[in-house]
Amino acid sequence: MKHIALSKTHEALGAKMVPFAGYLMPVSYEGVNIEHETVRKGVGVFDVSHMGEFLISGPEALALIQKVTSNDASKLTIGKAQYSCLPNETGGIVDDLIVYRIKEEQYLLVVNASNIDKDWDHIAKYNADFGAEMRNLSDNYSLLAIQGPKAVEAMQPLTSVDLSEIKFYNFVVADFAGIDHVIISATGYTGSGGFEIYCKNGEVQQIWDMVFEAGSDFGIKPIGLAARDTLRLEMGYCLYGNDIDETTSPLEAGLGWITKFGKEFVNSEALASEKAHGPERKLIAFELDDRGIPRQDYDIVDGNGKKIGVVTSGTMSPSLGKGIGLGYVPTIFSTVGSKIQVQIRKNAVPATVVKLPFYKG
């Protein structure tokens, strides 16, 4: 089990630490609902240093990234980031990731913790044809997500750059909390605004301490992975291993918007054919019409009780006060407004297919 740089800090704060993706991670401090509301209304800090970071450099860096990712990285200028995925050779997804263009011939790929080794091997396999320089920085870097509507105001005293000027999915490399050359990225997994801060492991304690000092007047709190999950689900953001995996195509998952067929990439021909014919199943968002909490792997059934799909993510939405979830069903059942049912133990609870996000803010 790996330990992140701030493990002892989280333990001292009373965090409940649990194994997650090979790391011991803080899952909660005060409780999911309190932490969820802190991010929706104020500002909270997640330590997500388990995430993986690959630096891809050299004249062939872009060509390699274009080959292994579904989105069009040629559109990235320095200071911009892009959500993308790594398609596999059989129609599924190796991982989803964010691609940052750091310099003219240098990119940072941020991948999911559980997939670091698998992603590295997948990209390296294709790099045999390109020869880009690949460096795995995952064990050397920490990542803090400072999220919520008060994040900009609370964090502004810690940097010389105007945080309000950094647009969504843009970033700067600048001073932050007394450390030079920190990546300040206007990204996140919550839908409530804020930043993600990339720094070296030896710098993260100073940054953490100064972030909480600067945020003290704004009610800043540490937030665990449990609230991160409820926040992302209210936005309908996919979680790898739940809503997307090696067996789900980006088109089924509603990720056609990051699948650009103006270039050739891994399995692009087969995915283009799937797009032309239309996927046979789709990832839907649903709200329960009655009381209940949908959970991963619960059956989705039709009006006759016949199984038509499965819940991939589900929870009681802290913001909406109702059961919400994602799941795959045949395309015929995927239209917004369609009526389905979720099998919760012995009860088939009626639900309605809705448009994302669940939480409108």
Side-chain angles (χ1 to χ4, degrees):
M1 194 65 60
K2 291 185 178 180
H3 291 266
I4 53 176
L6 294 179
S7 278
K8 287 186 167 51
T9 300
H10 299 304
E11 289 169 7
L13 289 167
K16 179 182 178 184
M17 305 291 284
V18 300
F20 183 82
Y23 293 79
L24 206 58
M25 298 296 294
V27 70
S28 65
Y29 299 83
E30 293 181 86
V32 176
N33 288 354
I34 294 172
E35 293 171 35
H36 184 107
E37 188 171 333
T38 295
V39 175
R40 283 283 180 249
K41 295 182 178 177
V43 58
V45 185
F46 305 80
D47 187 340
V48 283
S49 299
H50 59 319
M51 299 291 280
E53 294 89 13
F54 304 156
L55 196 66
I56 312 293
S57 308
E60 295 300 316
L62 177 59
L64 171 62
I65 292 167
Q66 287 289 71
K67 178 65 177 180
V68 297
T69 66
S70 62
N71 210 335
D72 186 358
S74 71
K75 297 281 196 271
L76 286 174
T77 53
I78 296 168
K80 288 191 178 293
Q82 181 184 78
Y83 181 57
S84 192
C85 77
L86 301 171
N88 65 19
E89 296 83 359
T90 56
I93 299 171
V94 178
D95 201 4
D96 62 337
L97 74 161
I98 297 180
V99 180
Y100 292 84
R101 189 168 190 178
I102 308 292
K103 297 176 182 176
E104 196 64 39
E105 295 182 349
Q106 188 177 80
Y107 298 79
L108 184 70
L109 275 50
V110 180
V111 303
N112 285 299
S114 57
N115 294 331
I116 291 172
D117 292 340
K118 180 182 73 165
D119 291 357
W120 178 267
D121 291 344
H122 178 80
I123 297 168
K125 176 178 69 178
Y126 284 97
N127 192 36
D129 294 332
F130 296 95
E133 181 189 347
M134 293 177 58
R135 290 175 60 200
N136 187 348
L137 307 178
S138 305
D139 289 339
N140 304 320
Y141 275 74
S142 292
L143 173 56
L144 301 180
I146 306 166
Q147 300 282 292
K150 295 181 181 177
V152 170
E153 188 180 359
M155 294 301 108
Q156 187 56 66
L158 296 182
T159 179
S160 61
V161 299
D162 186 346
L163 295 178
S164 67
E165 290 292 309
I166 308 174
K167 293 177 179 155
F168 195 44
Y169 269 80
N170 283 243
F171 69 94
V172 296
V173 179
D175 60 288
F176 187 82
I179 306 290
D180 290 331
H181 305 299
V182 171
I183 294 177
I184 308 170
S185 174
T187 47
Y189 201 42
T190 66
S192 283
F195 300 92
E196 293 182 307
I197 306 294
Y198 296 84
C199 63
K200 293 175 182 174
N201 288 342
E203 301 166 341
V204 70
Q205 185 70 62
Q206 176 178 319
I207 291 176
W208 176 275
D209 292 343
M210 291 186 70
V211 161
F212 275 86
E213 187 179 334
S216 59
D217 291 341
F218 297 86
I220 197 169
K221 292 180 179 181
I223 313 295
L225 294 183
R228 191 168 183 253
D229 192 51
T230 56
L231 288 157
R232 71 93 192 168
L233 185 48
E234 286 188 346
M235 298 307 296
Y237 296 153
C238 288
L239 174 63
Y240 195 89
N242 284 47
D243 315 302
I244 51 176
D245 59 30
E246 296 275 1
T247 70
T248 59
S249 90
L251 302 176
E252 292 174 335
L255 299 177
W257 62 281
I258 62 165
T259 310
K260 303 296 171 63
F261 294 107
K263 60 160 196 166
E264 182 188 339
F265 57 87
V266 174
N267 206 42
S268 56
E269 198 172 307
L271 288 172
S273 177
E274 182 187 351
K275 181 182 181 182
H277 293 98
E280 293 181 3
R281 63 172 186 164
K282 286 187 177 178
L283 185 66
I284 57 159
F286 63 84
E287 294 180 355
L288 295 188
D289 298 334
D290 293 342
R291 290 173 61 86
I293 305 176
R295 299 291 187 197
Q296 185 185 17
D297 294 331
Y298 282 8
D299 286 347
I300 299 173
V301 299
D302 65 14
N304 299 316
K306 179 187 174 186
K307 180 179 176 179
I308 57 170
V310 66
V311 176
T312 55
S313 291
T315 194
M316 173 62 69
S317 164
S319 300
L320 306 179
K322 63 173 75 172
I324 62 171
L326 303 174
Y328 284 94
V329 297
T331 302
I332 191 174
F333 293 98
S334 67
T335 308
V336 170
S338 295
K339 296 294 182 180
I340 55 172
Q341 298 181 78
V342 177
Q343 194 69 42
I344 302 179
R345 290 177 289 278
K346 293 181 180 178
N347 298 322
V349 180
T352 303
V353 177
V354 299
K355 187 180 180 183
L356 289 172
F358 296 104
Y359 174 76
K360 306 299 194 288

